[in-house]
Amino acid sequence: MKLKKVLIKIAFLAAIAPMDLFAEVTFKARLFSRQKNQGEAKTQVLLFETKKIYRTDAEGYFEATVPSPGIYTFRILKVEDMQDIKGNVEASGQTVTLYTDAGADSSIASPKTKAPKGTITVSAERDKPILSRTTIKYEEIKRMPGTFGEPLRALETIPGVVPSAAFGGGANNYVIRGSDPNSNLYLVDDLPILYPFHFDGLSAVVNANLIKSIDVYTGVFPANFNNALGGVIHIDTVDKVDKSQKNLIISAWSSSISYMSPTFGGKGYLIASARVGYLDRFVQGLTSALGADFPEGLRLPRFVDSQVKFVHNFNEHHQISFHSFYSKDDFAANLPAKYQNDPANDSTAAFAGASISSGQGFRTQAVRYTWKPIDTFSNRVTLISYDPFTDFNVSFGSIQGKNRASGAYNGVRQDAFWDPNKYFSAEFGTEYRLLNYYSTGSSIIQTDPNNLSPNPYDTQSPDFTTIPTNITAKGAYYNGYLTTKIRLGNLHIEPGARYDYIPYVNNSAFGPRAQASYKFEGIGKGTTIFAGGGNFFRFPLDTRFNKDSGNPHLDFEKVFKYGGGIEQLLEGDYQIKGEIFKQEYSDLIVDDPYITDYVGTNPDPYSRIAQPFIVNKKLNYSNSGTGWSRGYELVLRKNSRPGTRNWFGWITYTWSQTFRNNNIFTPDPGAAPLNTQETQIAVEFYKNSKETLYDYDRTHVINMVFGWRWSQEWQFGARWSYLTSRPFTPIVGDDGGRFSNPANGQTYWVPQYANNPALGEYINSRRLKPYHRLDIRFDRFFNYEWGYINTFLEIVNVYLRENVGGEDFDNTKPYSKTNPSPSPTFGTIPLPGGVVIPFFNIGIEVKF
C-alpha cells in the first residue's frame, strides 16, 4: 500500500513537472556600459526569439517575458548599427545584466566579432601627421545641418576650407588656404576622382554610407600624395562588413541605394551603391506649385554615379580588391528666339537663341593586390585605369563650337610600408602612367583672355575665335617617393621626398618636405607643438602643354608651404588647436595673350596644308603667375565618443590673405595704342601687372557646429557660419550698347570694369557685405528588428539672411545706379507676393 502511494506521488510529480519547467519566465534585465560606468537609458531592445521590443528606463532597466528558461538573443537597436548580445535567463525574478561593451569577466555578453581566420589586416591607421591635417568622423558629419546628408559638404566647417562658390548649395569645389580650387587632389581609397560634387552643388559623388573617414590636408602633406598645390582630401571607404545591410535614401532632388555584404564566409566583402539626381524635375515642380514661371528651354543639372568595392582575403598574407567609381553630370539650355523679348518678363532675353549643353564625368577602375609576408612589412600593387572627361556644345553669338576632352591614363603603382620597430618606419613607392590626353572638336579661344567683358555679339572685331582641334598628347609619366618616420620618445620627425618626371615635355620636379612634432605631458592629455614645410608641384591634367594649341615648354606649377602650431588635449574630449601658415606660389600657369614661339606649327588643320608653319605662333599659356597666402587658424572642439549620447561640436576661426600676380604686360588705361614692335618690347621688359587680392580670398571665416543625439528616436543639429565676402572688380560703365542679339534684336550692353589703380578702383578692389547663416536639422528615428527608418527635416538660413555673392549686371539695360545690383546667393526661396521662406530639405532614409 505504501509502495502504491509512493508510485502515485512520483507519477503526479512527473506530470506536473513539465508544467513548471515550461511556464513563462518574467525577469528584469539591464543594459550596462563598463566604459561609461552607467546603464544605457532610453534604448530599444528587441528580444529576438519573441519578436517583442522593450525600452530601457533612465537606469538602463527593462522587464521582459520569455516562454521558458534558456539562452536568448537581445538585439540592441542603434541608429547606425544593431548589436546582438546573448543572455541566459534562468528563472522568474532574475536580473540579467547585458554588457554593451566587451569585458573579460562577462559571462553573458557575446564577444566582439573578430576577423575570420585567414583575413589579412592591412592597417590604414598608420601614424598620421598632426600638421595641417583634420580627420572628420563619419558619425559627426553624416547628419550635419546644411549638408543635405553629404559628409563631404561638412568639410566647409574645418579651418582653411571654404566653398569655391556660394556657401553650401551651388559650390562644386573647395578653396583650401587660398589655392585655386582646381589644384586640389581628391582621392577615394587612394584612387583619383575628378571632382567631389555634382553640377547641382548639393550632391557628392561618393555615397555617404560608404564613407568610413575623411582626412583633409590643408597645408604640408605626405610624399605619397602628388599633383596638388591646394589641399588633399582623402576618403577611406568602409573596410569591414560583418553582416548584410541595405540602405535607401530618398530626398527632394536625388535618390540613392547602397548594399554591403560579407562574402565567402567572411573572408571578404562587397559594397556597392548607385544614385540618380533629378534637381530639374524638383525645381520645375516646385516653381509650378508656387505659381511662378520657369525659364523656357532651360534644363537644370542631372547626374548619375556609382561605386563598387570588392575585397577578398585568401589568407593572412594575401589580399586582392577591385574598385570602380563612376560619375556623370550634364545640363542643357536651348533658349527660344522671341523677337523683341520683354526683359522684364523674360530673364533670358539677352541670350535668346543660345544653345548650350555641358557635361563632365570620370571613370576610375582599379585592381589592387596586397602582400603582407610579416607583421612589420606589406607591399601593395595597384593597376589603375582613370578616365576623366569634359564636353560642351555651344552656339551663342560668336561663341560657336563643341569639344570633348580627357586627361585619361593607365598605370601601375606600388606602395610599401615597413615598420620594423617603435623608433623607425618608412613608406616608399613608385608609379608609371601611360598618358592618353586628347581634345577633339573645336577650341573656343578668347582673343584677349584677360578682358573681363568680352562681347559675344561683336561682329566687327570678335572677342572669340573658333579653331578646329584634334589634339592628342600621349606619353609616359614616372614618379617615386619616400617618407621616413623617426620616433624618439615624444619627438616625432617625418622627412620625405618625391620625384616626378614627364618625358613628353622633358620636365621634372623634386620636392623635399619634412614635419616634426613633440608632445609634452602634464597638462590635460598632453600638449603638442609641431612644424613643417616643403615644396609641392602640380602639372595640369589637360592639353595646355600640347605643341599644337598650347605651350610645350610649360613647367610644373610650384608652391612652397610652411607653418607650425600647438595642440592641447583636455579631459572630457576637449581639444584646442592653433596653427599659422604661409604658402608661396611660383610658375603658376596663366592665360597669356602675348607669349609666342618665333616659329611654330600652324594650329589650324585646314590652312596648315598650305602654310604648315607660322611666325610668332601664340602659345596662349605661360608660367608667369606668382602669389602667396598666409594666415592662422584656431579650433576649439568637443569630440564625440562612440557609443555615447553626449553632445559634440566645434568652433573654428580662420584669418587669411591671398594675393596673385599674372606678371604680364597690361596696357595703361587711357594710353595710346602700341604698335607691334612697341608691344613686343613692352611684353618683354615691362611686365607691369599688379599684385591683387585673389578671386577666392576670404579674410575672416567662422564656423560653429553643434550636434546632440539625446535618445534613440531624436537628434538635433545646428550650424552657424560667417565668411567675409569675396573681392570683386567694380563695374564703372558700359560700352554704349553697340551690338544686339541677332536672334531677337535685343540690345546687348557690355559692362566696363575699373582698371585704374591710381583711383583705388582696380581688379578685386571691393567687397560686399559678409555672408552668414544659421542651419538646423531634426532627425526622427523609427527602430525595428530589421533596421530603422530615419525621417529628417533640414532648414537652411533660418533667420532669412539676404546674402549676396557679388555684382549682377543685367545686359538688357545700360549701366545705372541700379545696374549692376548685388546678386543673391543660395539659401532662400522667394514666393509669389514677395514672401520669402528658408530653403529646406525633407527626406527619408531606410536601412535594412
Side-chain angles (χ1 to χ4, degrees):
M1 187 67 180
K2 290 183 178 179
L3 179 60
K4 184 177 180 180
K5 289 182 178 180
V6 171
L7 293 175
I8 292 174
K9 287 183 178 180
I10 292 175
F12 177 75
L13 291 174
I16 66 171
M19 296 174 60
D20 290 336
L21 180 64
F22 295 108
E24 285 190 341
V25 177
T26 300
F27 65 97
K28 179 179 287 189
R30 188 186 191 193
L31 291 186
F32 189 83
S33 169
R34 287 189 178 91
Q35 181 181 2
K36 296 179 287 184
N37 194 30
Q38 64 183 26
E40 298 281 7
K42 310 300 182 183
T43 301
Q44 289 187 327
V45 181
L46 168 70
L47 189 49
F48 191 77
E49 286 76 8
T50 65
K51 306 302 181 185
K52 293 183 179 180
I53 295 178
Y54 303 92
R55 181 182 176 88
T56 63
D57 60 18
E59 299 297 326
Y61 290 98
F62 66 95
E63 289 188 357
T65 301
V66 293
S68 63
I71 297 177
Y72 290 88
T73 301
F74 297 85
R75 176 163 290 177
I76 315 304
L77 301 177
K78 302 178 180 180
V79 173
E80 301 299 342
D81 203 353
M82 293 177 289
Q83 180 184 6
D84 289 345
I85 303 175
K86 297 292 186 179
N88 186 13
V89 181
E90 298 176 346
S92 294
Q94 175 190 7
T95 298
V96 178
T97 303
L98 306 171
Y99 296 104
T100 58
D101 40 25
D105 58 23
S106 173
S107 60
I108 299 175
S110 61
K112 286 188 176 180
T113 304
K114 296 182 180 179
K117 186 177 180 180
T119 298
I120 179 173
T121 303
V122 182
S123 174
E125 302 301 328
R126 297 180 297 274
D127 290 338
K128 296 178 181 179
I130 189 174
L131 175 65
S132 304
R133 179 186 63 83
T134 301
T135 297
I136 297 293
K137 298 178 182 179
Y138 175 76
E139 294 81 7
E140 295 178 337
I141 60 178
K142 180 180 180 182
R143 297 181 175 88
M144 181 182 292
T147 65
F148 311 107
E150 298 290 358
L152 275 176
R153 181 62 64 201
L155 303 187
E156 300 167 354
T157 66
I158 69 176
V161 180
V162 295
S164 58
F167 192 71
N172 299 88
N173 216 326
Y174 283 128
V175 178
I176 298 181
R177 287 186 174 176
S179 295
D180 186 328
N182 294 316
S183 70
N184 298 326
L185 176 65
Y186 297 95
L187 300 169
V188 180
D189 289 336
D190 216 6
L191 299 170
I193 60 175
L194 180 60
Y195 51 88
F197 295 101
H198 292 289
F199 271 158
D200 63 6
L202 303 171
S203 307
V205 299
V206 180
N207 189 289
N209 290 292
L210 271 58
I211 295 176
K212 174 188 173 185
S213 63
I214 304 174
D215 282 323
V216 183
Y217 297 87
T218 55
V220 177
F221 49 82
N224 57 300
F225 300 129
N226 74 319
N227 218 39
L229 296 185
V232 175
I233 296 179
H234 184 267
I235 303 168
D236 280 316
T237 61
V238 173
D239 60 3
K240 181 180 180 183
V241 179
D242 293 325
K243 58 186 177 182
S244 297
Q245 53 183 279
K246 296 173 281 292
N247 189 281
L248 173 65
I249 301 178
I250 300 175
S251 71
W253 48 78
S254 69
S255 295
S256 68
I257 186 170
S258 63
Y259 172 77
M260 303 183 189
S261 177
T263 58
F264 298 99
K267 281 197 168 186
Y269 59 89
L270 171 69
I271 61 177
S273 70
R275 177 162 50 178
V276 59
Y278 38 80
L279 180 67
D280 56 326
R281 297 179 181 178
F282 167 70
V283 173
Q284 290 179 5
L286 180 63
T287 302
S288 176
L290 297 176
D293 294 326
F294 190 80
E296 185 179 354
L298 176 64
R299 182 178 63 74
L300 294 178
R302 297 175 182 171
F303 71 82
V304 294
D305 66 51
S306 65
Q307 302 89 45
V308 177
K309 178 182 178 182
F310 171 74
V311 176
H312 182 71
N313 297 283
F314 294 99
N315 52 46
E316 61 269 23
H317 303 298
H318 303 279
Q319 180 191 85
I320 192 169
S321 62
F322 170 76
H323 309 254
S324 177
F325 310 124
Y326 174 79
S327 178
K328 186 178 186 300
D329 293 76
D330 63 77
F331 80 91
N334 188 11
L335 306 178
K338 299 178 180 179
Y339 189 70
Q340 293 295 346
N341 295 47
D342 181 4
N345 298 317
D346 184 358
S347 58
T348 64
F351 314 103
S355 177
I356 303 170
S357 65
S358 179
Q360 65 177 3
F362 62 85
R363 177 191 52 81
T364 304
Q365 293 182 323
V367 176
R368 176 170 286 162
Y369 166 67
T370 303
W371 175 53
K372 189 175 184 179
I374 56 178
D375 289 340
T376 59
F377 178 81
S378 65
N379 189 66
R380 189 181 72 186
V381 177
T382 308
L383 301 177
I384 306 174
S385 176
Y386 178 52
D387 184 12
F389 66 88
T390 60
D391 58 57
F392 68 83
N393 190 341
V394 58
S395 174
F396 171 33
S398 61
I399 306 175
Q400 303 284 331
K402 62 180 180 179
N403 182 272
R404 182 180 176 90
S406 171
Y409 69 81
N410 295 316
V412 57
R413 176 176 173 177
Q414 170 268 327
D415 301 275
F417 313 96
W418 183 42
D419 191 9
N421 54 56
K422 65 178 182 179
Y423 302 106
F424 176 83
S425 63
E427 301 179 18
F428 53 93
T430 58
E431 184 180 14
Y432 167 78
R433 298 178 184 176
L434 182 61
L435 308 180
N436 185 23
Y437 296 179
Y438 67 86
S439 177
T440 60
S442 55
S443 296
I444 300 171
I445 299 176
Q446 187 176 332
T447 307
D448 181 0
N450 299 299
N451 178 11
L452 298 179
S453 53
N455 189 339
Y457 301 121
D458 188 343
T459 55
Q460 296 179 0
S461 55
D463 290 327
F464 299 92
T465 58
T466 301
I467 298 178
T469 58
N470 187 15
I471 302 169
T472 59
K474 296 184 178 181
Y477 165 73
Y478 307 90
N479 68 56
Y481 72 90
L482 170 65
T483 297
T484 57
K485 300 180 181 181
I486 303 170
R487 298 177 287 268
L488 302 174
N490 290 345
L491 175 64
H492 290 191
I493 304 173
E494 187 176 313
R498 181 179 188 89
Y499 179 76
D500 295 84
Y501 174 59
I502 301 180
Y504 182 90
V505 292
N506 193 26
N507 202 335
S508 63
F510 176 70
R513 61 204 67 181
Q515 300 185 52
S517 65
Y518 186 86
K519 185 175 181 179
F520 297 91
E521 307 292 349
I523 302 177
K525 295 182 178 180
T527 305
T528 304
I529 59 173
F530 50 88
N535 290 326
F536 303 85
F537 298 89
R538 175 179 178 266
F539 204 79
L541 290 171
D542 54 38
T543 57
R544 278 180 284 180
F545 60 90
N546 180 266
K547 65 182 185 308
D548 293 325
S549 63
N551 184 351
H553 316 300
L554 289 177
D555 293 325
F556 282 83
E557 296 180 304
K558 178 182 177 182
V559 60
F560 174 47
K561 302 185 177 190
Y562 55 99
I566 184 171
E567 180 185 60
Q568 176 66 58
L569 299 179
L570 300 173
E571 301 294 337
D573 301 313
Y574 287 93
Q575 173 190 10
I576 302 173
K577 184 177 180 181
E579 187 169 336
I580 59 174
F581 66 88
K582 188 171 184 182
Q583 305 185 144
E584 300 173 358
Y585 302 89
S586 58
D587 295 329
L588 297 179
I589 298 176
V590 298
D591 293 327
D592 193 331
Y594 304 112
I595 187 170
T596 60
D597 260 345
Y598 293 117
V599 177
T601 304
N602 191 337
D604 189 333
Y606 300 115
S607 62
R608 187 185 301 166
I609 298 175
Q611 186 181 6
F613 301 99
I614 58 175
V615 179
N616 292 325
K617 177 200 170 186
K618 286 189 174 184
L619 298 178
N620 300 316
Y621 312 101
S622 70
N623 285 108
S624 298
T626 59
W628 56 271
S629 64
R630 65 180 180 184
Y632 61 86
E633 301 163 350
L634 300 173
V635 179
L636 172 60
R637 180 171 181 146
K638 169 68 164 61
N639 293 299
S640 65
R641 180 181 296 181
T644 68
R645 298 195 191 99
N646 292 331
W647 68 273
F648 67 89
W650 56 85
I651 302 174
T652 66
Y653 171 70
T654 301
W655 178 90
S656 65
Q657 290 181 324
T658 305
F659 289 84
R660 288 289 189 276
N661 190 347
N662 287 347
N663 291 294
I664 60 176
F665 168 67
T666 302
D668 292 326
L674 303 178
N675 59 35
T676 302
Q677 184 176 6
E678 291 172 336
T679 299
Q680 291 178 346
I681 295 174
V683 168
E684 185 70 24
F685 301 103
Y686 190 51
K687 297 181 179 181
N688 62 332
S689 59
K690 305 297 181 182
E691 183 178 78
T692 62
L693 282 170
Y694 190 38
D695 296 342
Y696 301 103
D697 178 80
R698 307 263 194 183
T699 307
H700 304 282
V701 180
I702 304 173
N703 282 287
M704 302 175 66
V705 175
F706 173 82
W708 185 27
R709 175 79 179 279
W710 68 83
S711 73
Q712 287 292 327
E713 289 80 26
W714 289 97
Q715 178 171 312
F716 171 75
R719 181 178 73 164
W720 183 78
S721 301
Y722 174 98
L723 298 90
T724 302
S725 63
R726 285 169 46 179
F728 70 95
T729 305
I731 297 174
V732 295
D734 59 57
D735 69 338
R738 297 184 298 118
F739 299 96
S740 300
N741 180 352
N744 61 354
Q746 174 67 53
T747 301
Y748 188 85
W749 304 83
V750 178
Q752 301 298 301
Y753 292 87
N755 63 353
N756 193 338
L759 300 178
E761 299 286 316
Y762 200 58
I763 296 176
N764 291 344
S765 59
R766 285 190 187 178
R767 298 184 196 264
L768 296 176
K769 62 183 182 180
Y771 183 109
H772 58 84
R773 81 179 199 211
L774 172 67
D775 306 331
I776 61 174
R777 172 169 167 148
F778 295 93
D779 287 86
R780 175 67 167 94
F781 302 94
F782 300 90
N783 299 295
Y784 302 96
E785 59 182 271
W786 46 263
Y788 69 83
I789 296 176
N790 168 217
T791 58
F792 56 87
L793 170 63
E794 196 168 8
I795 302 176
V796 177
N797 198 5
V798 174
Y799 52 75
L800 298 175
R801 165 78 172 180
E802 294 182 355
N803 289 304
V804 294
E807 283 192 328
D808 184 15
F809 187 82
D810 186 349
N811 297 102
T812 65
K813 302 175 183 178
Y815 172 79
S816 66
K817 291 183 178 181
T818 58
N819 189 31
S821 61
S823 57
T825 64
F826 171 87
T828 57
I829 300 177
L831 302 179
V835 178
V836 177
I837 63 173
F839 193 88
F840 64 92
N841 180 30
I842 56 176
I844 183 170
E845 175 188 7
V846 182
K847 186 171 185 179
F848 302 93

